[in-house]
Amino acid sequence: MQVIQIGILLTVVFLKCVSGDGFHSTLGHLKARASPQIQAQSAVGVIERLLKNKTRLFQVTVDPKLGPVGKDTFKILKEEGTDKVNIVGTSGVAAVWGFHHYLKYYCFSHVSWDSDQLSLPEELPSVNIIVTSADRFRYYQNVCTTSYSFVWWDWPRWEREVDWMALNGINLALAFTGQEAIWQRVYSELNLTQEDVNEHFSGPAFLSWLRMGNMRGFGGPLPDSWHAKSLSLQHRILARMRELGIVPVLPAFAGHVPRAFKRLYPDTPMTRMADWNRFPDEFCCPFVLEPTDPLFRRVGNMFISELVAEFGTDHIYNCDPFNEMTPHTSNVTYFSQISSAILTAITDVDPDAVWLKQNWGFVHDMIFWTTDKVKAFLTAVPPGRMIVLDLQSELNPQYRRLHSYYGQPFIWCMLHNFGGTLGLYGSVGNVNTGVFDGRGLENGTMVGTGLTPEGINQNYVMYDLMNEMAWRTEPVNLSEWFSAYARRRYGAVDTHADNAWQLLKSGVYSFTGMRKVRGKYVICRRPSLQLRQWVWYNTTELATAWDELLSASPQLHGAANYQHDLVDVTRQALQVLGGDLYNIIMSAFRQGNVSGFQQSAKLFLNLLADLNVLLGSNKDFLLGRWLKAAKALGTTAQEKQLYEYNARNQITLWGPRGEIVDYANKQWAGSSTFL
């Protein structure tokens, strides 16, 4: 009995030591490493790219001692009668975050994935404030975002995104570009032939799932030019992130290996991965090495050594051994072994390494991932040497079920989007309160907030709100916040625009259920007799919001964000109307009403034609941009054809035979306008 009481006491003491900010001893080295001068210069670069000749109005300084240890802080000072806004931040990121804070709340400006609204007042407002982050980290990206959104990006688009990260205070982000070039070298050293590698590497649009062991080969092989461009691009991404003080998360080895390993290492124990989404054997199921076999450690060491030699390191890495795949055993010892083996393979090369892991495997199959298995997996790693992303905290948080991840630090994340699909949707109420629930856990281990969408360029309002949770100390008044959002986004106060956003707030953005919203609406699914219209909001209020937005002052009509939103809300209204028409068509079909069927079918086809014209009126809703970006990366006609196939397949069949059909569909116009 005395031993048990001592054990309980030690556990309580441990949790108090590591809760909240107590991870400084294990996470304190995950910080900006560039000099304050370089970070300040890089911060000014962000301002120059955004404001051009108005940059002279802002003075930026980086002072790491400004705020409390482990929490980014910025100070903004603009005195009356002066023409300079002085911004001091604990890092380059903190300084740019402070600059963006001033733009939003004092100049009523707006920066987004869609367009910017940067109409600054002639005389910049006076201010004297200090803001400190509530947590250590502001994290960005899902492992799938690289495929659904970033895959065809060039450096100018990446530069814009890194700037956006800094503007929103992001100080921890995935940096996965170029890793296949590293694996190419490692596999060559391990005696794989080029044919073996070509059989393994997927095409560019499917690399996220190759990296997680879900599939292999489909859409490939990867040309040498792809590797060369990816390496060059990754160096530029990492350089800019590090200059700003953003900590890049590099990839690590999770145990998955090409099929050729079975031939080359016949005596090494390895297991065929489980089938994923019914992919045929040609494209599924690489092997996973047994974590206790020396080859596991050797491969992991080789990869990290080659990776660090090429890119350097900031001591944090990501990998996931069981993404949406059931392990071959239920033995809890195995989960401890593979978790320990993954970290060891990293720390052999980088003793200061921290492993960042998504929790999605634990969520995707909670019947299999019982608490004893999860505990065995997590506690095999020393406390603070792993950070867990609670990936969908806004709808399906796991930090309570898993007892603050059994002592490992975690980040409260908003997933929000699957497949990069369109459709107005969000859970503003949950975001507005859930972050504070995570922070308020007794002996909790929350160390940050994060954005983890599978795809971006949709529903920007949700991301703008979520980013603010990083510094806020209590929930916002959502009605006031949405009014301010409309003003910033359009550059003017407008009653009709405000009314529209209030209706959207209480309708499409007030989802609270558990169903996964994955863009599978009637108008963008394969024709079938079994489709179901699904809405969680009052469609009459949506129509009213649409009418209110249409009634906004002509002053707004030239604003790029107004034009984007008008197309988006109209698209949503037509999406609902299409579902209603489908129900009428099906009713006529079941009743044998031929004339009613034909009349409604004609209306449905006309609606699709109208939708295509609507979407073609705005550059943000064009299929052609996606295809053009893909083909632009090809250096030969054959490469362009390969990349276009990747781009088209991902948003349609998603697999050789439609294995994940429509998962990443897009409501885009099939027009060449704006190309």
Side-chain angles (χ1 to χ4, degrees):
M1 177 67 73
Q2 186 177 10
V3 172
I4 294 174
Q5 289 176 336
I6 291 173
I8 293 172
L9 178 62
L10 288 174
T11 300
V12 171
V13 171
F14 164 73
L15 285 172
K16 286 185 175 179
C17 288
V18 301
S19 63
D21 301 325
F23 285 108
H24 184 67
S25 61
T26 53
L27 301 180
H29 64 300
L30 302 180
K31 61 182 180 181
R33 311 179 79 80
S35 70
Q37 293 76 20
I38 289 176
Q39 291 182 65
Q41 290 171 7
S42 192
V44 171
V46 176
I47 299 173
E48 286 178 341
R49 286 186 288 278
L50 202 63
L51 294 186
K52 307 296 187 290
N53 60 346
K54 294 182 181 179
T55 304
R56 57 181 175 76
L57 300 173
F58 296 86
Q59 179 70 44
V60 175
T61 308
V62 170
D63 178 4
K65 298 180 181 179
L66 175 65
V69 174
K71 292 187 176 181
D72 272 328
T73 300
F74 58 81
K75 178 179 180 180
I76 312 172
L77 176 63
K78 163 65 168 67
E79 296 179 330
E80 250 184 90
T82 64
D83 62 355
K84 286 264 187 188
V85 179
N86 292 285
I87 303 171
V88 184
T90 48
S91 66
V93 166
V96 178
W97 196 17
F99 162 72
H100 187 217
H101 190 93
Y102 182 77
L103 289 186
K104 284 181 69 173
Y105 295 105
Y106 295 90
C107 301
F108 305 105
S109 295
H110 181 78
V111 180
S112 74
W113 291 319
D114 308 317
S115 293
D116 302 333
Q117 186 285 110
L118 297 169
S119 300
L120 303 186
E122 286 195 19
E123 182 177 343
L124 294 179
S126 299
V127 61
N128 186 359
I129 61 166
I130 295 178
V131 175
T132 296
S133 62
D135 316 288
R136 176 177 289 275
F137 299 116
R138 280 87 54 204
Y139 172 79
Y140 178 47
Q141 290 181 45
N142 186 300
V143 292
C144 299
T145 323
T146 55
S147 291
Y148 285 131
S149 294
F150 305 163
V151 56
W152 312 121
W153 284 4
D154 55 13
W155 169 243
R157 182 60 185 88
W158 260 112
E159 182 176 52
R160 164 74 181 189
E161 195 71 5
V162 176
D163 286 354
W164 178 88
M165 293 183 209
L167 288 163
N168 288 281
I170 304 296
N171 65 350
L172 184 68
L174 290 186
F176 270 21
T177 303
Q179 62 179 285
E180 281 67 40
I182 304 300
W183 277 118
Q184 174 98 6
R185 299 174 192 169
V186 172
Y187 291 151
S188 179
E189 290 182 41
L190 290 165
N191 298 317
L192 274 75
T193 66
Q194 189 58 51
E195 185 179 352
D196 293 332
V197 175
N198 289 345
E199 183 188 63
H200 182 67
F201 282 159
S202 71
F206 306 100
L207 288 175
S208 292
W209 302 276
L210 167 78
R211 295 164 179 172
M212 293 184 286
N214 298 116
M215 57 178 284
R216 63 188 181 90
F218 177 64
L222 290 176
D224 290 340
S225 62
W226 176 268
H227 295 312
K229 287 183 178 180
S230 296
L231 283 174
S232 175
L233 185 58
Q234 175 74 334
H235 277 290
R236 299 184 77 171
I237 293 168
L238 291 174
R240 182 59 54 79
M241 289 174 71
R242 287 165 174 160
E243 289 168 4
L244 283 165
I246 300 172
V247 176
V249 181
L250 296 178
F253 176 59
H256 313 125
V257 294
R259 289 277 187 95
F261 267 63
K262 194 70 174 175
R263 183 188 78 247
L264 293 167
Y265 303 95
D267 297 327
T268 297
M270 58 186 79
T271 306
R272 182 183 183 274
M273 294 294 290
D275 292 344
W276 183 69
N277 282 302
R278 305 177 307 282
F279 267 72
D281 186 69
E282 179 186 0
F283 299 123
C284 87
C285 318
F287 288 106
V288 60
L289 298 175
E290 282 300 307
T292 55
D293 189 88
L295 188 59
F296 189 109
R297 191 168 186 172
R298 180 187 171 197
V299 174
N301 287 175
M302 290 175 70
F303 177 70
I304 297 297
S305 295
E306 192 71 38
L307 184 80
V308 172
E310 179 71 36
F311 298 128
T313 184
D314 294 78
H315 311 296
I316 182 163
Y317 307 83
N318 169 271
C319 67
D320 286 284
F322 305 114
N323 177 67
E324 299 185 357
M325 292 179 294
T326 303
H328 66 276
T329 177
S330 296
N331 189 329
V332 294
T333 301
Y334 174 77
F335 301 121
S336 296
Q337 289 172 342
I338 195 164
S339 182
S340 177
I342 288 171
L343 184 65
T344 299
I346 306 171
T347 55
D348 282 346
V349 179
D350 181 0
D352 296 324
V354 173
W355 175 13
L356 179 79
K357 184 194 171 348
Q358 294 192 167
N359 78 340
W360 194 246
F362 307 149
V363 177
H364 186 259
D365 188 356
M366 286 193 284
I367 295 176
F368 180 87
W369 283 103
T370 52
T371 53
D372 59 326
K373 296 186 184 77
V374 177
K375 184 176 182 180
F377 187 96
L378 296 176
T379 57
V381 171
R385 299 304 292 270
M386 175 189 284
I387 300 174
V388 181
L389 300 175
D390 195 83
L391 209 67
Q392 195 183 21
S393 305
E394 84 277 18
L395 287 178
N396 197 8
Q398 297 295 302
Y399 51 81
R400 288 188 180 274
R401 177 177 83 92
L402 300 177
H403 307 285
S404 265
Y405 292 96
Y406 301 101
Q408 297 291 9
F410 75 90
I411 294 177
W412 197 105
C413 299
M414 182 185 79
L415 196 161
H416 180 260
N417 179 267
F418 292 93
T421 55
L422 305 185
L424 303 182
Y425 150 73
S427 303
V428 291
N430 293 0
V431 168
N432 194 34
T433 59
V435 171
F436 304 100
D437 175 73
R439 281 197 193 119
L441 285 175
E442 185 176 0
N443 298 320
T445 56
M446 179 176 158
V447 293
T449 53
L451 303 176
T452 52
E454 287 192 350
I456 63 169
N457 298 318
Q458 39 72 36
N459 292 290
Y460 190 77
V461 64
M462 291 301 305
Y463 300 88
D464 203 35
L465 176 65
M466 180 60 206
N467 279 329
E468 292 191 10
M469 297 298 111
W471 59 268
R472 290 195 178 274
T473 57
E474 61 183 10
V476 302
N477 180 311
L478 286 172
S479 295
E480 293 177 0
W481 190 91
F482 269 74
S483 292
Y485 177 83
R487 176 184 180 181
R488 293 194 301 267
R489 190 161 170 85
Y490 304 145
V493 175
D494 184 273
T495 300
H496 291 294
D498 186 16
N499 291 342
W501 278 100
Q502 295 301 328
L503 288 165
L504 294 174
K505 168 187 66 69
S506 59
V508 292
Y509 290 117
S510 291
F511 180 76
T512 57
M514 285 297 296
R515 182 171 176 176
K516 294 170 182 172
V517 180
R518 288 183 169 166
K520 292 191 175 182
Y521 308 111
V522 168
I523 62 169
C524 46
R525 296 190 69 179
R526 292 297 181 278
S528 167
L529 301 179
Q530 307 300 324
L531 301 182
R532 295 181 61 188
Q533 167 81 312
W534 178 61
V535 294
W536 59 92
Y537 50 89
N538 186 320
T539 56
T540 301
E541 289 186 358
L542 172 66
T544 304
W546 180 24
D547 185 60
E548 289 282 1
L549 204 55
L550 282 166
S551 302
S553 166
Q555 180 186 355
L556 271 58
H557 292 181
N561 281 319
Y562 173 80
Q563 294 170 359
H564 172 99
D565 293 348
L566 186 57
V567 170
D568 206 13
V569 175
T570 306
R571 178 207 51 72
Q572 187 80 11
L574 292 179
Q575 170 186 295
V576 171
L577 181 57
D580 291 342
L581 278 172
Y582 172 83
N583 290 336
I584 295 171
I585 291 169
M586 292 310 302
S587 177
F589 172 77
R590 295 187 183 100
Q591 294 171 13
N593 182 351
V594 176
S595 62
F597 178 91
Q598 291 175 332
Q599 182 180 10
S600 297
K602 183 178 180 180
L603 288 173
F604 188 87
L605 293 174
N606 288 340
L607 180 145
L608 293 179
D610 289 344
L611 181 60
N612 196 57
V613 171
L614 168 76
L615 297 172
S617 70
N618 190 281
K619 63 180 177 58
D620 297 331
F621 299 89
L622 297 179
L623 169 65
R625 297 180 80 202
W626 172 253
L627 300 181
K628 182 181 179 182
K631 290 184 286 186
L633 293 180
T635 60
T636 66
Q638 185 178 8
E639 288 179 10
K640 292 178 184 294
Q641 186 178 27
L642 174 68
Y643 297 161
E644 182 176 0
Y645 172 77
N646 271 253
R648 287 183 181 275
N649 185 277
Q650 187 201 88
I651 62 175
T652 53
L653 291 173
W654 212 129
R657 300 178 304 196
E659 284 77 4
I660 321 180
V661 65
D662 289 336
Y663 180 89
N665 68 64
K666 304 294 189 292
Q667 293 178 42
W668 287 341
S671 168
S672 60
T673 309
F674 293 103
L675 285 183

